[in-house]
Amino acid sequence: MKLWHRILITWGAICLAGIVLFVSYIAYSLTFGNKTSIDEASKSDVRFVLNWCGLGDNRINKVIKSYASPTSLTGDHLDAYSIKITDVTLSELQKENITMGRWYRCDSLPKTLDDAIEFMAGFEAEISWFPKEQDLRTKNFYVYPWSMGYHGVRPYSAQLIFLNPKDKIVYYIDGKI
């Protein structure tokens, strides 16, 4: 009987320690560890952007601007980057890769992408350095849709990669509300 008593006390202590660690992590994530970071991203932080769209992270010259908001309990957030790249050709943007997706010229978009860009325009106040919606919707920009979430026919989240081939700048935006 004493053995079971000790086993149960030990198990209770382990569970209590786990609960304390879990609650501490959640509290930290909601307070001190959940803050806005501006212009703190490095090349290694943004590598995924160029890898997702198939350009490859070896083209990163420098991170010009970055913004990462705190994430709410429901996952609402805004992350955005402006990345200077070394080179890109229009022929690369016109290729369609069955597994990777494709680039779309921003002056002729399908309805879902059009809605996603309109949704992302709602974040202009937080990231004044990001191109405005009317500037994006020109033949000078291409967009690579990575992810879009919809409730009915209205987007609630999107991860979009924009590219201005002339200026060799990639813009990434990830927002959810």
Side-chain angles (χ1 to χ4, degrees):
M1 196 66 147
K2 280 190 170 198
L3 178 63
W4 282 109
H5 186 259
R6 287 181 189 209
I7 289 173
L8 289 175
I9 288 176
T10 304
W11 180 249
I14 291 170
C15 290
L16 179 63
I19 290 170
V20 168
L21 285 173
F22 179 73
V23 169
S24 298
Y25 173 76
I26 295 297
Y28 176 78
S29 297
L30 294 175
T31 57
F32 304 112
N34 197 17
K35 60 184 172 90
T36 301
S37 69
I38 298 173
D39 294 336
E40 294 180 11
S42 67
K43 286 182 182 181
S44 63
D45 295 329
V46 301
R47 291 175 45 190
F48 71 94
V49 174
L50 273 77
N51 288 330
W52 279 359
C53 63
L55 293 178
D57 60 10
N58 57 332
R59 297 177 198 232
I60 298 174
N61 189 358
K62 69 177 181 172
V63 178
I64 300 169
K65 290 282 194 183
S66 69
Y67 178 90
S69 73
T71 303
S72 74
L73 281 174
T74 58
D76 297 356
H77 67 281
L78 172 65
D79 296 338
Y81 305 115
S82 173
I83 307 162
K84 182 74 172 171
I85 61 173
T86 55
D87 63 343
V88 67
T89 64
L90 290 179
S91 63
E92 289 178 277
L93 304 178
Q94 294 166 348
K95 290 180 187 174
E96 184 169 352
N97 184 329
I98 293 172
T99 59
M100 294 292 293
R102 66 173 278 215
W103 289 93
Y104 295 85
R105 206 168 82 180
C106 287
D107 63 344
S108 56
L109 297 170
K111 176 78 171 122
T112 54
L113 266 173
D114 195 56
D115 291 343
I117 291 175
E118 182 181 334
F119 166 73
M120 287 303 186
F123 295 111
E124 287 180 352
E126 289 91 348
I127 48 175
S128 60
W129 49 266
F130 204 86
K132 304 296 179 229
E133 181 181 7
Q134 65 269 17
D135 297 330
L136 288 172
R137 293 181 179 278
T138 65
K139 64 180 180 179
N140 299 329
F141 279 91
Y142 287 78
V143 62
Y144 188 93
W146 181 254
S147 171
M148 296 178 287
Y150 285 80
H151 284 299
V153 295
R154 297 298 307 158
Y156 70 89
S157 71
Q159 291 176 301
L160 303 174
I161 302 167
F162 294 95
L163 172 63
N164 182 332
K166 182 180 170 225
D167 294 339
K168 298 179 190 163
I169 298 178
V170 173
Y171 297 95
Y172 170 78
I173 188 164
D174 173 6
K176 178 182 182 281
I177 56 169

